[in-house]
Amino acid sequence: MRFRNQNTYENMVKAGEESAFHSRYERALERFSQSLEVETRYESLIEGKQVSTGKYFQDHSPMDTGLVVGEFSMGGEREASMALDSARRAFQTWSVMDLDKRLTIFRKAAEIMRRDLFEIAAAVTFDNGKNRYEAVGEVDEAIDFISYYAEQMEINHGFQEERPPAYEDERPVSVMRPYGVWAVVCPFNFPIAISAGMLTAAIITGNTAVLKPSTPAPLAVHMLHDIYERAGIPPGVVNVLSGSGSAAGQALVSSDKVDGIAFTGSKEVGYRLLASSIRRHPIPVITELGGKNPAIVTEKADLAKAVAGVASAAFGYSGQKCSACSRAYVHELVYDEFMVALLKHVSRLRVGDPRERATFIGPVIHRKAVEDYLSHSAMARQDGVVHAGGQEVKAGLPPGHYVAPTIVTGLPEEHFLIKNELFLPFLCVQRFTDLKDAVHRANDVDYGLTSGIYSEDEEEVSYFFENMEAGVSYANRARGATTGAMVGSQPFGGWKGSGSTGLGSGTGLYLTQYMRQQSRTVAR
Ligand code: NAD
């Protein structure tokens, strides 16, 4: 049964099916586009039923703001409370269901997703503007999470284990039990993969959940609910609370009916949730937060790999990945050569409509992101040198949120743009002369999510691994300096301000956080 990553694009290319990849995705785009001709309303989903508030917000596609993906219900306290009650009722039977029976449902859900992969990917493109490779990759990751967690629960027997007895007449066992009802709060940038990852971890371990989709990209969470429903999940195990972060999200996470919170999103919101984790009892709060991820390029680097890896990590999905590379520290002996090659490489990256095959950089998520981008670009022009980008891209494009990949040098190390997550296609390149100093500067931010180095010298690489304060580190990766963790292979989690638990998703250990340990000893 050994787990294998879905990896659709790579596998189809290897099998000589690249043109089928494109035609299946393009047909799915066409079908999704036709479905928009009928206005669709998405309500909160509680105990398998739609619950309306009569108030809606419209989800406009970032690639063409004239396209309305759907109208989504504006839930609040009442719906949050109803959803939590529904999850509580379902917990009674779900938490004691036989593990094998439970796992059958997850395998079925993964199968449904595999079958509908291109349909879901097309919906992600409309919802958050990902190009086809990123959108399919995201659905792959969702499938991987579900399949991998099912396998981990099975091979670890639900993480139950006999313990060595301290006395001959005792038989101690450690049992992992679910907490109860989890609030699962999702980000816009991986609306299907990260939502599936957090949700699946919560419910596969015997909890029930209320999911709060992100407001700018809410569709995928409704699709996820539908997939689990078709897979046979009992009503109430998965509930969806539609609405804004400040109303629905806040009502959900602050409720006394919540036994645990899984949150992926910004540091600001995550810190607030952590600060509120002590209620009547402390509750577990698993947060996966932002990043300000560095890549170091030493004078012993293979520069071709470094350029490809830095560009892909900085500008893939318009820099809107928590793992995006936003700082590059380049040794002064190779700095000029690196910059020339990087600028050449980036000038060839196509900014455009993500539905088109050649597009590498699609839109950013909303108008506010464009405005932030413009003000950061103005700041960069004033305090440093802007070598590429810094402006909106409009020519020949639908009315969406398109901006150019931006490369800035010469900023003082303490600058706002060097220290803060921007979540935009925005890369700061800095010089260094000494690797120790580069690692020190790379670490000198509040975050510690991902990092990368390019060096053909093993000692330099090992110094980097030993001293980098990051949950995920890569060396010499041309497919992404700081991005591209695969479920099962690279545990994904942040240190410092990037995450609170010290454990990465896509591992068996991650699952144990959704359960609490009970020691059971029978004496003869
Ligand atoms: P966000 O913090 O704005 O929103 C995340 C979720 O929180 C949304 O569903 C939002 O509606 C909800 N929310 C907002 N205010 C809330 C409140 N007061 N109470 C409860 N819920 C509330 O983040 P975003 O813009 O959706 O995502 C981008 C951020 O997520 C970036 O910082 C990125 O680095 C981070 N991220 C981290 C990881 C990771 O694994 N470390 C992965 C993806 C994204």
Side-chain angles (χ1 to χ4, degrees), residues 314-369:
F315 303 122
Y317 188 43
S318 308
Q320 299 173 117
K321 296 182 188 176
C322 53
S323 56
C325 175
S326 50
R327 296 176 293 151
Y329 292 95
V330 183
H331 194 280
E332 66 174 2
L333 289 179
V334 292
Y335 179 90
D336 290 340
E337 196 184 338
F338 174 83
M339 279 301 289
V340 169
L342 180 69
L343 289 168
K344 188 165 165 206
H345 185 101
V346 171
S347 70
R348 294 200 202 110
L349 299 179
R350 165 124 168 230
V351 179
D353 187 324
R355 287 168 290 192
E356 309 220 328
R357 192 186 292 200
T359 292
F360 181 74
I361 302 176
V364 293
I365 192 67
H366 41 41
R367 185 65 210 166
K368 162 87 171 51

Side-chain angles (χ1 to χ4, degrees), residues 290-419:
K292 188 71 189 172
N293 310 301
I296 295 176
V297 181
T298 81
E299 77 275 32
K300 294 171 186 157
D302 174 331
L303 286 188
K305 277 190 203 163
V307 165
V310 167
S312 156
F315 303 122
Y317 188 43
S318 308
Q320 299 173 117
K321 296 182 188 176
C322 53
S323 56
C325 175
S326 50
R327 296 176 293 151
Y329 292 95
V330 183
H331 194 280
E332 66 174 2
L333 289 179
V334 292
Y335 179 90
D336 290 340
E337 196 184 338
F338 174 83
M339 279 301 289
V340 169
L342 180 69
L343 289 168
K344 188 165 165 206
H345 185 101
V346 171
S347 70
R348 294 200 202 110
L349 299 179
R350 165 124 168 230
V351 179
D353 187 324
R355 287 168 290 192
E356 309 220 328
R357 192 186 292 200
T359 292
F360 181 74
I361 302 176
V364 293
I365 192 67
H366 41 41
R367 185 65 210 166
K368 162 87 171 51
V370 176
E371 279 157 15
D372 287 348
Y373 169 90
L374 293 173
S375 81
H376 298 329
S377 300
M379 217 188 269
R381 262 182 228 108
Q382 186 181 304
D383 302 331
V385 181
V386 176
H387 296 263
Q391 74 280 329
E392 281 186 74
V393 181
K394 291 187 172 165
L397 290 173
H401 308 302
Y402 298 94
V403 299
T406 299
I407 299 174
V408 182
T409 62
L411 291 171
E413 198 59 31
E414 292 309 311
H415 199 276
F416 176 90
L417 299 172
I418 299 279
K419 297 293 183 195

